[in-house]
Amino acid sequence: MRRGVAAFLGVLALGAFGDVARAQGLPRLHVLAIDQYADQLTVAPHEQFHVTIRVVVAERRERLDELVLGDLDNCSIVGDERLHAPLPKGMEFTERLTLEADAPGTATITPAYLDAINPSVGRGLRYSAKQVIRVRVTAAAPIDATFRTFVALLRTLLLVGAAIVAALIVLVVFLLFAKRRVRSSAPAAVAAVEIPTARPPSREIQLADAVRRYRSSRNQEALLRLRGLLFECAGADHGATLADALRRLGAGDASLRFALSAAERAAFGPAGERERAGDELLSALEAYSGRLAAKPPV
Amino acid sequence: MNIANAASVRPRAVTVAIGATIIGQSEAVDALVLALIAGGHVLLEGAPGVAKTLACRALSAAIGGSFKRIQFTPDLLPSDIVGTRIFDQRSGDFATVRGPIFANIVLADEINRAPAKVQSALLEGMQEHRATIGLDTYDFPAPFAVLATMNPLDGDGTYALPLAQLDRFLAKVVVGYPSLAEETEIVARYGAHDVEFRSDVAGPDDVLAWQREARTVFLDDRVRDYIVALVRATRGARYVEHGASPRAALALAAMARARAYLEERRFVTPDDVRDLAPSVLRHRLAFDYRAAADAVDTQAIVGEIVASVPAP
């Protein structure tokens, strides 16, 4: 394609500049491409813009001084930067012009050109970029690039925000719908039923039962159970001694104090004394049980 | 619930007699009488001036009999306690001179100020109730009891009693300071008057009768098991390196019987055992280095051990 463009450019320039080229000793170059373009088409007065001219030749050379820039109208050159880079077959030259618009209206840059002898045909030709660049120089300040970026960013943010809001709405609707479904499909709650538990017998009942057992059979097992209940009645814990129980009882029930002492003798006294201590215990318990029965129920 | 016995006087009379002289210190007084009934020896530990020696003298005065006091010092010799044989120039033969240990009540004052050799001489007699002088062995008079005192405050010039020797004492009583009211009464009573003792309230024969009768006090199997459980609980307890020996269980049973006898009961109750356990056990335990490192109260440890065992 590049070869075609170059041949076309060569045909255009051949007739007009053939004699001049021969006369001036033009370089022999296979010009494969030449073009130019601007980075902005609308600028404000005194605003800078760039025009880039690109030339591709088949020959390997470091400089291309034969390139002639086009005419400038309503703008002026502020800077000029030249670069070249090797290609697999040839060299690419890039010249980047920094221009500044002068006044409102139109800034015009005519095509850059290059005069050279085409080795393939042996004649001098003018290779031109052809494009005339026209940049409009406006009176009003143009939209700043930063502002444009900001606007674009704002637009993006608005779009993203709108998408999130839409997603949330969809989610809320979905959850409400799902909840309604669960509620409608959940089985009816089972009413809590209080299971009646067996209430332990009162201490009076336990004591009466222990007395009955001890009265029927005066063995150590029945005595120890009875003694333990008497300790509980006095407020003493398991593992306490008679002194502990009496201390907890204080100046309390005299019949219980007497019963506790009798139980101690019946439990730890010598065998000959246990029978009598048992009798004293039972008589003391009768008095104590009578006091308990006389108490009004709480 | 009177106990029929051969004694002419009850041991409570001795307690009352000592209490007439000693103001307060009821635990020490009770321990002295209980140990006398149980046929054992008592170690009293307390600061100087808290009536340790006075209580011992009051006890010996109350029960009559012979009383000897030995002031233990670092230069004391075994012969100063047990006695020796001396050459009698008139008869041309050796004569035996019995030492102060031959008495019904021996007060070993500040026992930890004598070296181990002297302590051993005393403790051998405490165990055997006899002493050998030369080639002959002589029995001590009965009843025989050693009442030893020691001062815990002075560390200089004292010799710690080995655990094996402490084990010979039936009980160890820590004698504390009197209360405000007691101290006021001490000053009021003895500020301008000498201390008076009630003498011969009972006799040595009464004491022997008490000892015999106390041994017959009934000890129920469950109370016996409680005693054993208490003693065994000292082994492996926290801060305790060496627990009490079976001798401690025997001592606790003897002291519990003595207390029941003193209170004129024919049987031992768990309360007797629990109340006496600290005084019987406290000097028989060896505490490990952690007790010293943590600066724990060893008396409190004994109390915790006793409280950890449920009574029957």
Side-chain angles (χ1 to χ4, degrees):
Chain A
M1 181 179 170
R2 286 179 179 176
R3 287 179 184 272
V5 172
F8 178 69
L9 291 171
V11 170
L12 287 178
L14 186 60
F17 302 103
D19 295 340
V20 176
R22 277 191 296 274
Q24 294 180 349
L26 300 176
R28 297 176 68 85
L29 289 172
H30 287 93
V31 179
L32 302 177
I34 177 170
D35 57 7
Q36 66 179 26
Y37 55 88
D39 61 349
Q40 293 185 60
L41 296 177
T42 303
V43 296
H46 308 293
E47 185 185 358
Q48 293 183 354
F49 61 99
H50 298 96
V51 170
T52 303
I53 303 162
R54 190 177 70 96
V55 179
V56 178
V57 299
E59 285 75 20
R60 291 275 184 172
R61 53 186 297 177
E62 297 296 323
R63 301 173 63 89
L64 189 64
D65 295 334
E66 295 81 3
L67 180 66
V68 178
L69 299 179
D71 296 327
L72 304 178
D73 184 24
N74 198 26
C75 64
S76 52
I77 296 175
V78 179
D80 184 4
E81 184 182 9
R82 293 180 180 181
L83 300 171
H84 64 277
L87 295 175
K89 289 182 179 178
M91 188 71 75
E92 181 185 47
F93 294 91
T94 303
E95 188 161 355
R96 188 167 181 261
L97 300 173
T98 301
L99 306 174
E100 182 178 298
D102 290 336
T106 301
T108 305
I109 302 102
T110 60
Y113 62 88
L114 175 64
D115 292 339
I117 296 171
N118 187 343
S120 302
V121 296
R123 287 192 300 167
L125 296 173
R126 171 165 290 184
Y127 298 92
S128 172
K130 289 202 317 178
Q131 301 94 334
V132 176
I133 296 172
R134 291 182 176 84
V135 175
R136 193 158 66 96
V137 181
T138 60
I143 298 174
D144 185 51
T146 307
F147 180 73
R148 280 200 301 271
T149 307
F150 171 74
V151 170
L153 181 63
L154 185 63
R155 188 170 55 197
T156 305
L157 287 175
L158 286 173
L159 286 173
V160 171
I164 291 173
V165 170
L168 286 175
I169 290 171
V170 170
L171 182 63
V172 168
V173 170
F174 174 77
L175 288 176
L176 287 173
F177 181 70
K179 191 174 180 181
R180 187 171 296 171
R181 284 190 61 186
V182 168
R183 189 179 297 169
S184 61
S185 61
V190 178
V193 177
E194 186 176 347
I195 300 172
T197 54
R199 184 176 294 176
S202 66
R203 187 171 293 156
E204 288 78 6
I205 295 174
Q206 293 182 53
L207 191 60
D209 181 63
V211 171
R212 183 177 50 78
R213 286 172 184 268
Y214 181 64
R215 197 187 298 275
S216 63
S217 175
R218 289 194 182 186
N219 55 39
Q220 283 294 300
E221 182 185 357
L223 174 63
L224 291 179
R225 172 174 158 73
L226 181 57
R227 180 172 173 265
L229 284 170
L230 290 175
F231 269 54
E232 287 181 12
C233 291
D237 299 327
H238 169 72
T241 63
L242 175 64
D244 296 329
L246 293 177
R247 196 178 303 117
R248 294 294 295 270
L249 189 60
D253 199 318
S255 57
L256 180 57
R257 297 174 66 87
F258 189 74
L260 284 166
S261 300
E264 193 80 350
R265 288 197 303 276
F268 301 111
E273 290 188 9
R274 288 183 179 179
E275 191 69 21
R276 192 177 62 183
D279 294 339
E280 292 176 1
L281 171 62
L282 288 174
S283 63
L285 283 171
E286 282 179 7
Y288 180 61
S289 300
R291 292 176 65 89
L292 284 179
K295 281 184 180 177
V298 178
Chain B
M1 197 190 303
N2 291 325
I3 300 172
N5 57 76
S8 59
V9 65
R10 306 304 308 147
R12 180 62 70 186
V14 175
T15 307
V16 172
I18 299 174
T21 303
I22 306 297
I23 300 168
Q25 309 294 4
S26 59
E27 186 189 357
V29 172
D30 285 346
L32 288 172
V33 177
L34 291 179
L36 187 69
I37 296 171
H41 315 287
V42 180
L43 178 62
L44 300 173
E45 181 183 277
V50 292
K52 299 187 297 292
T53 305
L54 196 64
C56 296
R57 289 178 61 192
L59 174 67
S60 66
I63 66 168
S66 56
F67 171 76
K68 294 288 177 57
R69 172 180 171 172
I70 309 169
Q71 180 65 48
F72 278 60
T73 55
D75 58 350
L76 199 68
L77 295 173
S79 58
D80 295 332
I81 296 174
V82 176
T84 186
R85 288 174 65 82
I86 58 174
F87 183 73
D88 188 347
Q89 291 181 337
R90 284 181 293 183
S91 63
D93 198 2
F94 282 92
T96 299
V97 177
R98 298 183 181 186
I101 198 171
F102 288 86
N104 293 116
I105 301 293
V106 177
L107 172 59
D109 222 359
E110 298 192 273
I111 188 173
N112 56 339
R113 293 206 177 274
K117 185 170 63 176
V118 182
Q119 292 173 3
S120 296
L122 175 69
L123 296 168
E124 180 187 357
M126 289 168 62
Q127 182 68 21
E128 304 292 334
H129 286 213
R130 67 182 65 174
T132 301
I133 305 172
L135 298 176
D136 299 320
T137 300
Y138 302 92
D139 291 334
F140 295 160
F144 172 72
V146 173
L147 311 178
T149 68
M150 59 185 286
N151 182 351
L153 300 180
D154 293 335
D156 296 337
T158 61
Y159 300 87
L161 290 170
L163 199 62
Q165 295 181 350
L166 284 170
D167 202 30
R168 307 290 171 86
F169 288 99
L170 199 61
K172 175 185 175 184
V173 181
V174 178
V175 185
Y177 290 105
S179 66
L180 174 65
E182 292 166 351
E183 199 157 0
T184 304
E185 189 180 347
I186 289 169
V187 175
R189 189 187 298 182
Y190 299 120
H193 304 282
D194 293 335
V195 176
E196 293 181 357
F197 299 107
R198 288 193 182 180
S199 302
D200 300 326
V201 175
D205 292 337
D206 292 319
V207 175
L208 292 174
W210 298 339
Q211 291 177 352
R212 281 195 308 271
E213 290 162 4
R215 282 194 284 270
T216 65
V217 170
F218 178 72
L219 181 70
D220 187 73
D221 290 352
R222 279 164 294 156
V223 180
R224 181 200 60 201
D225 295 344
Y226 179 46
I227 291 172
V228 174
L230 279 172
V231 171
R232 294 181 70 84
T234 63
R235 303 167 196 162
R238 195 162 69 111
Y239 293 121
V240 176
E241 188 170 6
H242 295 295
S245 66
R247 184 183 284 160
L250 294 171
L252 186 51
M255 286 288 280
R257 279 192 166 104
R259 176 167 147 165
Y261 182 78
L262 180 66
E263 295 185 353
E264 306 201 0
R265 266 187 285 112
R266 285 194 172 276
F267 61 97
V268 175
T269 66
D271 275 316
D272 295 329
V273 176
R274 194 185 62 177
D275 293 347
L276 292 168
S279 62
V280 173
L281 296 176
R282 61 168 57 110
H283 60 292
R284 302 173 196 266
L285 306 184
F287 296 96
D288 59 14
Y289 69 95
R290 289 174 297 180
D294 295 347
V296 296
D297 181 8
T298 54
Q299 305 300 325
I301 295 173
V302 174
E304 288 177 8
I305 293 171
V306 173
S308 68
V309 180

